[in-house]
PDB file of all heavy atoms in Angstrom:
ATOM      1  N   PRO A   1      -1.731  14.794  -4.096  1.00  0.00           N
ATOM      2  CA  PRO A   1      -0.335  14.830  -3.756  1.00  0.00           C
ATOM      3  C   PRO A   1       0.257  13.539  -3.209  1.00  0.00           C
ATOM      4  O   PRO A   1       1.355  13.131  -3.510  1.00  0.00           O
ATOM      5  CB  PRO A   1      -0.231  15.930  -2.594  1.00  0.00           C
ATOM      6  CG  PRO A   1      -1.413  16.789  -2.893  1.00  0.00           C
ATOM      7  CD  PRO A   1      -2.481  15.877  -3.414  1.00  0.00           C
ATOM      8  N   PHE A   2      -0.571  12.743  -2.430  1.00  0.00           N
ATOM      9  CA  PHE A   2      -0.138  11.487  -1.950  1.00  0.00           C
ATOM     10  C   PHE A   2       0.234  10.503  -3.142  1.00  0.00           C
ATOM     11  O   PHE A   2       1.166   9.854  -3.234  1.00  0.00           O
ATOM     12  CB  PHE A   2      -1.143  10.818  -1.041  1.00  0.00           C
ATOM     13  CG  PHE A   2      -0.844   9.401  -0.728  1.00  0.00           C
ATOM     14  CD1 PHE A   2       0.010   9.141   0.294  1.00  0.00           C
ATOM     15  CD2 PHE A   2      -1.454   8.372  -1.414  1.00  0.00           C
ATOM     16  CE1 PHE A   2       0.384   7.758   0.575  1.00  0.00           C
ATOM     17  CE2 PHE A   2      -1.102   7.049  -1.081  1.00  0.00           C
ATOM     18  CZ  PHE A   2      -0.240   6.788  -0.101  1.00  0.00           C
ATOM     19  N   TYR A   3      -0.754  10.446  -4.133  1.00  0.00           N
ATOM     20  CA  TYR A   3      -0.614   9.564  -5.265  1.00  0.00           C
ATOM     21  C   TYR A   3       0.491  10.002  -6.238  1.00  0.00           C
ATOM     22  O   TYR A   3       1.140   9.201  -6.808  1.00  0.00           O
ATOM     23  CB  TYR A   3      -2.023   9.358  -5.976  1.00  0.00           C
ATOM     24  CG  TYR A   3      -2.875   8.514  -5.176  1.00  0.00           C
ATOM     25  CD1 TYR A   3      -3.792   8.997  -4.253  1.00  0.00           C
ATOM     26  CD2 TYR A   3      -2.799   7.096  -5.233  1.00  0.00           C
ATOM     27  CE1 TYR A   3      -4.634   8.248  -3.491  1.00  0.00           C
ATOM     28  CE2 TYR A   3      -3.627   6.348  -4.485  1.00  0.00           C
ATOM     29  CZ  TYR A   3      -4.513   6.874  -3.614  1.00  0.00           C
ATOM     30  OH  TYR A   3      -5.333   6.059  -2.871  1.00  0.00           O
ATOM     31  N   GLU A   4       0.687  11.326  -6.297  1.00  0.00           N
ATOM     32  CA  GLU A   4       1.830  11.848  -7.127  1.00  0.00           C
ATOM     33  C   GLU A   4       3.136  11.371  -6.438  1.00  0.00           C
ATOM     34  O   GLU A   4       4.069  10.954  -7.161  1.00  0.00           O
ATOM     35  CB  GLU A   4       1.754  13.329  -7.281  1.00  0.00           C
ATOM     36  CG  GLU A   4       0.714  13.874  -8.217  1.00  0.00           C
ATOM     37  CD  GLU A   4       0.611  15.322  -8.293  1.00  0.00           C
ATOM     38  OE1 GLU A   4       0.919  16.025  -7.298  1.00  0.00           O
ATOM     39  OE2 GLU A   4       0.227  15.767  -9.403  1.00  0.00           O
ATOM     40  N   GLN A   5       3.235  11.478  -5.109  1.00  0.00           N
ATOM     41  CA  GLN A   5       4.491  11.093  -4.466  1.00  0.00           C
ATOM     42  C   GLN A   5       4.632   9.586  -4.534  1.00  0.00           C
ATOM     43  O   GLN A   5       5.702   9.078  -4.861  1.00  0.00           O
ATOM     44  CB  GLN A   5       4.440  11.552  -3.017  1.00  0.00           C
ATOM     45  CG  GLN A   5       5.739  11.262  -2.284  1.00  0.00           C
ATOM     46  CD  GLN A   5       5.761  11.789  -0.922  1.00  0.00           C
ATOM     47  OE1 GLN A   5       4.737  12.286  -0.403  1.00  0.00           O
ATOM     48  NE2 GLN A   5       6.821  11.567  -0.191  1.00  0.00           N
ATOM     49  N   LEU A   6       3.571   8.857  -4.358  1.00  0.00           N
ATOM     50  CA  LEU A   6       3.648   7.415  -4.392  1.00  0.00           C
ATOM     51  C   LEU A   6       4.047   6.875  -5.778  1.00  0.00           C
ATOM     52  O   LEU A   6       4.894   5.925  -5.838  1.00  0.00           O
ATOM     53  CB  LEU A   6       2.237   6.810  -4.094  1.00  0.00           C
ATOM     54  CG  LEU A   6       2.082   5.306  -4.158  1.00  0.00           C
ATOM     55  CD1 LEU A   6       2.791   4.608  -2.981  1.00  0.00           C
ATOM     56  CD2 LEU A   6       0.635   4.961  -4.047  1.00  0.00           C
ATOM     57  N   THR A   7       3.557   7.478  -6.872  1.00  0.00           N
ATOM     58  CA  THR A   7       3.880   6.977  -8.232  1.00  0.00           C
ATOM     59  C   THR A   7       5.013   7.677  -8.935  1.00  0.00           C
ATOM     60  O   THR A   7       5.496   7.175  -9.894  1.00  0.00           O
ATOM     61  CB  THR A   7       2.627   7.040  -9.050  1.00  0.00           C
ATOM     62  OG1 THR A   7       2.251   8.471  -9.253  1.00  0.00           O
ATOM     63  CG2 THR A   7       1.428   6.304  -8.405  1.00  0.00           C
ATOM     64  N   GLY A   8       5.382   8.894  -8.418  1.00  0.00           N
ATOM     65  CA  GLY A   8       6.346   9.668  -9.098  1.00  0.00           C
ATOM     66  C   GLY A   8       5.760  10.305 -10.385  1.00  0.00           C
ATOM     67  O   GLY A   8       6.557  10.724 -11.282  1.00  0.00           O
ATOM     68  N   SER A   9       4.462  10.369 -10.509  1.00  0.00           N
ATOM     69  CA  SER A   9       3.825  10.866 -11.722  1.00  0.00           C
ATOM     70  C   SER A   9       3.073  12.155 -11.304  1.00  0.00           C
ATOM     71  O   SER A   9       2.679  12.363 -10.194  1.00  0.00           O
ATOM     72  CB  SER A   9       2.770   9.853 -12.211  1.00  0.00           C
ATOM     73  OG  SER A   9       3.283   8.649 -12.542  1.00  0.00           O
ATOM     74  N   THR A  10       2.890  12.979 -12.375  1.00  0.00           N
ATOM     75  CA  THR A  10       2.070  14.214 -12.214  1.00  0.00           C
ATOM     76  C   THR A  10       0.651  13.870 -12.572  1.00  0.00           C
ATOM     77  O   THR A  10       0.390  13.220 -13.593  1.00  0.00           O
ATOM     78  CB  THR A  10       2.678  15.361 -13.046  1.00  0.00           C
ATOM     79  OG1 THR A  10       4.021  15.578 -12.711  1.00  0.00           O
ATOM     80  CG2 THR A  10       1.822  16.583 -12.921  1.00  0.00           C
ATOM     81  N   ALA A  11      -0.334  14.340 -11.793  1.00  0.00           N
ATOM     82  CA  ALA A  11      -1.754  14.057 -12.084  1.00  0.00           C
ATOM     83  C   ALA A  11      -2.177  14.796 -13.282  1.00  0.00           C
ATOM     84  O   ALA A  11      -1.807  15.941 -13.545  1.00  0.00           O
ATOM     85  CB  ALA A  11      -2.546  14.472 -10.809  1.00  0.00           C
ATOM     86  N   SER A  12      -3.010  14.163 -14.056  1.00  0.00           N
ATOM     87  CA  SER A  12      -3.736  14.776 -15.140  1.00  0.00           C
ATOM     88  C   SER A  12      -5.198  14.894 -14.683  1.00  0.00           C
ATOM     89  O   SER A  12      -5.820  13.818 -14.517  1.00  0.00           O
ATOM     90  CB  SER A  12      -3.589  13.939 -16.440  1.00  0.00           C
ATOM     91  OG  SER A  12      -4.452  14.410 -17.365  1.00  0.00           O
ATOM     92  N   ARG A  13      -5.691  16.053 -14.528  1.00  0.00           N
ATOM     93  CA  ARG A  13      -7.039  16.283 -14.027  1.00  0.00           C
ATOM     94  C   ARG A  13      -8.022  16.588 -15.150  1.00  0.00           C
ATOM     95  O   ARG A  13      -7.683  17.262 -16.134  1.00  0.00           O
ATOM     96  CB  ARG A  13      -7.090  17.430 -13.027  1.00  0.00           C
ATOM     97  CG  ARG A  13      -6.202  17.106 -11.754  1.00  0.00           C
ATOM     98  CD  ARG A  13      -6.173  18.331 -10.917  1.00  0.00           C
ATOM     99  NE  ARG A  13      -5.444  18.114  -9.645  1.00  0.00           N
ATOM    100  CZ  ARG A  13      -5.907  18.252  -8.484  1.00  0.00           C
ATOM    101  NH1 ARG A  13      -7.172  18.668  -8.289  1.00  0.00           N
ATOM    102  NH2 ARG A  13      -5.088  18.100  -7.466  1.00  0.00           N
ATOM    103  N   PHE A  14      -9.208  16.055 -14.964  1.00  0.00           N
ATOM    104  CA  PHE A  14     -10.332  16.337 -15.899  1.00  0.00           C
ATOM    105  C   PHE A  14     -11.662  16.096 -15.232  1.00  0.00           C
ATOM    106  O   PHE A  14     -11.759  15.509 -14.151  1.00  0.00           O
ATOM    107  CB  PHE A  14     -10.184  15.490 -17.215  1.00  0.00           C
ATOM    108  CG  PHE A  14     -10.061  14.023 -16.973  1.00  0.00           C
ATOM    109  CD1 PHE A  14     -11.173  13.223 -17.170  1.00  0.00           C
ATOM    110  CD2 PHE A  14      -8.936  13.430 -16.521  1.00  0.00           C
ATOM    111  CE1 PHE A  14     -11.147  11.824 -16.969  1.00  0.00           C
ATOM    112  CE2 PHE A  14      -8.785  12.074 -16.320  1.00  0.00           C
ATOM    113  CZ  PHE A  14      -9.928  11.279 -16.513  1.00  0.00           C
ATOM    114  N   ALA A  15     -12.750  16.551 -15.889  1.00  0.00           N
ATOM    115  CA  ALA A  15     -14.068  16.385 -15.416  1.00  0.00           C
ATOM    116  C   ALA A  15     -14.881  15.624 -16.462  1.00  0.00           C
ATOM    117  O   ALA A  15     -14.600  15.740 -17.647  1.00  0.00           O
ATOM    118  CB  ALA A  15     -14.770  17.695 -15.082  1.00  0.00           C
ATOM    119  N   PHE A  16     -15.822  14.728 -15.978  1.00  0.00           N
ATOM    120  CA  PHE A  16     -16.665  14.010 -16.903  1.00  0.00           C
ATOM    121  C   PHE A  16     -17.991  13.735 -16.185  1.00  0.00           C
ATOM    122  O   PHE A  16     -18.002  13.201 -15.117  1.00  0.00           O
ATOM    123  CB  PHE A  16     -15.952  12.666 -17.352  1.00  0.00           C
ATOM    124  CG  PHE A  16     -16.873  11.816 -18.229  1.00  0.00           C
ATOM    125  CD1 PHE A  16     -17.052  12.139 -19.571  1.00  0.00           C
ATOM    126  CD2 PHE A  16     -17.499  10.725 -17.705  1.00  0.00           C
ATOM    127  CE1 PHE A  16     -17.870  11.436 -20.383  1.00  0.00           C
ATOM    128  CE2 PHE A  16     -18.249   9.940 -18.494  1.00  0.00           C
ATOM    129  CZ  PHE A  16     -18.423  10.211 -19.809  1.00  0.00           C
ATOM    130  N   ALA A  17     -19.075  14.192 -16.815  1.00  0.00           N
ATOM    131  CA  ALA A  17     -20.417  13.886 -16.395  1.00  0.00           C
ATOM    132  C   ALA A  17     -20.625  14.205 -14.922  1.00  0.00           C
ATOM    133  O   ALA A  17     -21.192  13.435 -14.087  1.00  0.00           O
ATOM    134  CB  ALA A  17     -20.825  12.497 -16.701  1.00  0.00           C
ATOM    135  N   GLY A  18     -20.102  15.356 -14.441  1.00  0.00           N
ATOM    136  CA  GLY A  18     -20.275  15.749 -13.066  1.00  0.00           C
ATOM    137  C   GLY A  18     -19.310  15.236 -12.027  1.00  0.00           C
ATOM    138  O   GLY A  18     -19.474  15.390 -10.840  1.00  0.00           O
ATOM    139  N   VAL A  19     -18.325  14.468 -12.570  1.00  0.00           N
ATOM    140  CA  VAL A  19     -17.328  13.875 -11.718  1.00  0.00           C
ATOM    141  C   VAL A  19     -15.976  14.538 -11.935  1.00  0.00           C
ATOM    142  O   VAL A  19     -15.602  14.713 -13.097  1.00  0.00           O
ATOM    143  CB  VAL A  19     -17.272  12.322 -11.934  1.00  0.00           C
ATOM    144  CG1 VAL A  19     -16.211  11.711 -11.080  1.00  0.00           C
ATOM    145  CG2 VAL A  19     -18.564  11.684 -11.796  1.00  0.00           C
ATOM    146  N   ASN A  20     -15.203  14.832 -10.868  1.00  0.00           N
ATOM    147  CA  ASN A  20     -13.902  15.374 -11.019  1.00  0.00           C
ATOM    148  C   ASN A  20     -12.889  14.151 -10.865  1.00  0.00           C
ATOM    149  O   ASN A  20     -13.024  13.360  -9.971  1.00  0.00           O
ATOM    150  CB  ASN A  20     -13.601  16.392  -9.957  1.00  0.00           C
ATOM    151  CG  ASN A  20     -14.473  17.607 -10.100  1.00  0.00           C
ATOM    152  OD1 ASN A  20     -14.630  18.131 -11.185  1.00  0.00           O
ATOM    153  ND2 ASN A  20     -15.052  18.025  -9.031  1.00  0.00           N
ATOM    154  N   LEU A  21     -11.987  14.044 -11.867  1.00  0.00           N
ATOM    155  CA  LEU A  21     -11.129  12.959 -11.895  1.00  0.00           C
ATOM    156  C   LEU A  21      -9.651  13.359 -11.976  1.00  0.00           C
ATOM    157  O   LEU A  21      -9.380  14.481 -12.491  1.00  0.00           O
ATOM    158  CB  LEU A  21     -11.436  12.036 -13.140  1.00  0.00           C
ATOM    159  CG  LEU A  21     -12.816  11.474 -13.187  1.00  0.00           C
ATOM    160  CD1 LEU A  21     -13.618  12.194 -14.237  1.00  0.00           C
ATOM    161  CD2 LEU A  21     -12.815  10.040 -13.478  1.00  0.00           C
ATOM    162  N   ALA A  22      -8.727  12.465 -11.530  1.00  0.00           N
ATOM    163  CA  ALA A  22      -7.309  12.710 -11.736  1.00  0.00           C
ATOM    164  C   ALA A  22      -6.622  11.373 -12.020  1.00  0.00           C
ATOM    165  O   ALA A  22      -6.857  10.422 -11.276  1.00  0.00           O
ATOM    166  CB  ALA A  22      -6.758  13.264 -10.441  1.00  0.00           C
ATOM    167  N   SER A  23      -5.934  11.340 -13.094  1.00  0.00           N
ATOM    168  CA  SER A  23      -5.235  10.123 -13.491  1.00  0.00           C
ATOM    169  C   SER A  23      -3.778  10.318 -13.017  1.00  0.00           C
ATOM    170  O   SER A  23      -3.129  11.300 -13.387  1.00  0.00           O
ATOM    171  CB  SER A  23      -5.229  10.009 -15.047  1.00  0.00           C
ATOM    172  OG  SER A  23      -4.441   8.903 -15.439  1.00  0.00           O
ATOM    173  N   VAL A  24      -3.295   9.434 -12.117  1.00  0.00           N
ATOM    174  CA  VAL A  24      -2.013   9.528 -11.502  1.00  0.00           C
ATOM    175  C   VAL A  24      -1.381   8.122 -11.629  1.00  0.00           C
ATOM    176  O   VAL A  24      -1.729   7.189 -10.888  1.00  0.00           O
ATOM    177  CB  VAL A  24      -2.025   9.954 -10.011  1.00  0.00           C
ATOM    178  CG1 VAL A  24      -0.635  10.308  -9.562  1.00  0.00           C
ATOM    179  CG2 VAL A  24      -2.966  11.185  -9.828  1.00  0.00           C
ATOM    180  N   GLY A  25      -0.431   7.938 -12.581  1.00  0.00           N
ATOM    181  CA  GLY A  25       0.172   6.648 -12.738  1.00  0.00           C
ATOM    182  C   GLY A  25      -0.891   5.597 -12.959  1.00  0.00           C
ATOM    183  O   GLY A  25      -1.778   5.813 -13.820  1.00  0.00           O
ATOM    184  N   PRO A  26      -0.956   4.459 -12.237  1.00  0.00           N
ATOM    185  CA  PRO A  26      -1.931   3.461 -12.533  1.00  0.00           C
ATOM    186  C   PRO A  26      -3.237   3.680 -11.750  1.00  0.00           C
ATOM    187  O   PRO A  26      -4.041   2.803 -11.594  1.00  0.00           O
ATOM    188  CB  PRO A  26      -1.234   2.241 -11.992  1.00  0.00           C
ATOM    189  CG  PRO A  26      -0.360   2.680 -10.824  1.00  0.00           C
ATOM    190  CD  PRO A  26       0.113   4.074 -11.294  1.00  0.00           C
ATOM    191  N   PHE A  27      -3.519   4.865 -11.169  1.00  0.00           N
ATOM    192  CA  PHE A  27      -4.643   5.148 -10.401  1.00  0.00           C
ATOM    193  C   PHE A  27      -5.498   6.213 -11.148  1.00  0.00           C
ATOM    194  O   PHE A  27      -5.049   7.135 -11.709  1.00  0.00           O
ATOM    195  CB  PHE A  27      -4.323   5.737  -9.011  1.00  0.00           C
ATOM    196  CG  PHE A  27      -3.504   4.758  -8.171  1.00  0.00           C
ATOM    197  CD1 PHE A  27      -2.155   4.878  -8.114  1.00  0.00           C
ATOM    198  CD2 PHE A  27      -4.163   3.808  -7.444  1.00  0.00           C
ATOM    199  CE1 PHE A  27      -1.442   3.986  -7.327  1.00  0.00           C
ATOM    200  CE2 PHE A  27      -3.483   2.928  -6.642  1.00  0.00           C
ATOM    201  CZ  PHE A  27      -2.092   3.016  -6.611  1.00  0.00           C
ATOM    202  N   LEU A  28      -6.850   5.943 -11.063  1.00  0.00           N
ATOM    203  CA  LEU A  28      -7.880   6.933 -11.495  1.00  0.00           C
ATOM    204  C   LEU A  28      -8.612   7.286 -10.256  1.00  0.00           C
ATOM    205  O   LEU A  28      -9.416   6.510  -9.737  1.00  0.00           O
ATOM    206  CB  LEU A  28      -8.813   6.445 -12.528  1.00  0.00           C
ATOM    207  CG  LEU A  28      -9.833   7.375 -13.070  1.00  0.00           C
ATOM    208  CD1 LEU A  28      -9.201   8.598 -13.734  1.00  0.00           C
ATOM    209  CD2 LEU A  28     -10.774   6.634 -14.025  1.00  0.00           C
ATOM    210  N   LEU A  29      -8.327   8.538  -9.773  1.00  0.00           N
ATOM    211  CA  LEU A  29      -9.000   9.022  -8.541  1.00  0.00           C
ATOM    212  C   LEU A  29     -10.255   9.867  -8.996  1.00  0.00           C
ATOM    213  O   LEU A  29     -10.199  10.464  -9.981  1.00  0.00           O
ATOM    214  CB  LEU A  29      -8.092   9.958  -7.706  1.00  0.00           C
ATOM    215  CG  LEU A  29      -6.692   9.402  -7.393  1.00  0.00           C
ATOM    216  CD1 LEU A  29      -5.915  10.459  -6.702  1.00  0.00           C
ATOM    217  CD2 LEU A  29      -6.842   8.097  -6.612  1.00  0.00           C
ATOM    218  N   PHE A  30     -11.275   9.688  -8.240  1.00  0.00           N
ATOM    219  CA  PHE A  30     -12.515  10.484  -8.604  1.00  0.00           C
ATOM    220  C   PHE A  30     -13.332  10.930  -7.383  1.00  0.00           C
ATOM    221  O   PHE A  30     -13.239  10.204  -6.337  1.00  0.00           O
ATOM    222  CB  PHE A  30     -13.368   9.651  -9.570  1.00  0.00           C
ATOM    223  CG  PHE A  30     -13.894   8.331  -9.098  1.00  0.00           C
ATOM    224  CD1 PHE A  30     -15.106   8.238  -8.485  1.00  0.00           C
ATOM    225  CD2 PHE A  30     -13.096   7.191  -9.170  1.00  0.00           C
ATOM    226  CE1 PHE A  30     -15.579   7.012  -7.986  1.00  0.00           C
ATOM    227  CE2 PHE A  30     -13.528   5.948  -8.751  1.00  0.00           C
ATOM    228  CZ  PHE A  30     -14.819   5.981  -8.114  1.00  0.00           C
ATOM    229  N   ALA A  31     -13.972  11.986  -7.569  1.00  0.00           N
ATOM    230  CA  ALA A  31     -14.757  12.559  -6.428  1.00  0.00           C
ATOM    231  C   ALA A  31     -15.874  13.377  -7.028  1.00  0.00           C
ATOM    232  O   ALA A  31     -15.840  13.771  -8.145  1.00  0.00           O
ATOM    233  CB  ALA A  31     -13.872  13.536  -5.561  1.00  0.00           C
ATOM    234  N   GLY A  32     -16.951  13.412  -6.206  1.00  0.00           N
ATOM    235  CA  GLY A  32     -18.125  14.193  -6.620  1.00  0.00           C
ATOM    236  C   GLY A  32     -19.327  13.678  -5.820  1.00  0.00           C
ATOM    237  O   GLY A  32     -19.280  12.801  -4.952  1.00  0.00           O
ATOM    238  N   PRO A  33     -20.562  14.243  -6.197  1.00  0.00           N
ATOM    239  CA  PRO A  33     -21.740  13.850  -5.536  1.00  0.00           C
ATOM    240  C   PRO A  33     -22.049  12.364  -5.808  1.00  0.00           C
ATOM    241  O   PRO A  33     -21.708  11.830  -6.867  1.00  0.00           O
ATOM    242  CB  PRO A  33     -22.738  14.789  -6.148  1.00  0.00           C
ATOM    243  CG  PRO A  33     -22.095  15.685  -7.057  1.00  0.00           C
ATOM    244  CD  PRO A  33     -20.664  15.270  -7.229  1.00  0.00           C
ATOM    245  N   ASP A  34     -22.749  11.720  -4.880  1.00  0.00           N
ATOM    246  CA  ASP A  34     -23.007  10.283  -4.969  1.00  0.00           C
ATOM    247  C   ASP A  34     -23.693   9.961  -6.336  1.00  0.00           C
ATOM    248  O   ASP A  34     -23.308   8.922  -6.936  1.00  0.00           O
ATOM    249  CB  ASP A  34     -23.942   9.822  -3.796  1.00  0.00           C
ATOM    250  CG  ASP A  34     -23.217   9.685  -2.494  1.00  0.00           C
ATOM    251  OD1 ASP A  34     -21.931   9.468  -2.601  1.00  0.00           O
ATOM    252  OD2 ASP A  34     -23.836   9.685  -1.499  1.00  0.00           O
ATOM    253  N   GLU A  35     -24.706  10.711  -6.707  1.00  0.00           N
ATOM    254  CA  GLU A  35     -25.379  10.398  -8.022  1.00  0.00           C
ATOM    255  C   GLU A  35     -24.406  10.312  -9.148  1.00  0.00           C
ATOM    256  O   GLU A  35     -24.507   9.481 -10.011  1.00  0.00           O
ATOM    257  CB  GLU A  35     -26.472  11.445  -8.242  1.00  0.00           C
ATOM    258  CG  GLU A  35     -27.822  11.142  -7.627  1.00  0.00           C
ATOM    259  CD  GLU A  35     -28.856  12.106  -8.048  1.00  0.00           C
ATOM    260  OE1 GLU A  35     -28.898  12.495  -9.218  1.00  0.00           O
ATOM    261  OE2 GLU A  35     -29.515  12.573  -7.137  1.00  0.00           O
ATOM    262  N   ALA A  36     -23.519  11.320  -9.248  1.00  0.00           N
ATOM    263  CA  ALA A  36     -22.599  11.439 -10.349  1.00  0.00           C
ATOM    264  C   ALA A  36     -21.574  10.387 -10.360  1.00  0.00           C
ATOM    265  O   ALA A  36     -21.215   9.816 -11.417  1.00  0.00           O
ATOM    266  CB  ALA A  36     -21.962  12.819 -10.392  1.00  0.00           C
TER     267      ALA A  36
END
């Protein structure tokens, strides 16, 4: 929500190789276990 408000963009969420990601404007946010 912070990055959506900051950029005025809606996040596009997806998962890849055990990582959860969200593309929001010029940012690619990611979260998950350290290994992944």
Side-chain angles (χ1 to χ4, degrees):
F2 171 82
Y3 287 92
E4 287 180 326
Q5 183 176 2
L6 179 69
T7 64
S9 300
T10 301
S12 172
R13 294 175 182 237
F14 56 101
F16 176 75
V19 179
N20 294 314
L21 302 106
S23 176
V24 190
F27 297 96
L28 179 63
L29 310 175
F30 59 95
D34 283 340
E35 272 185 45

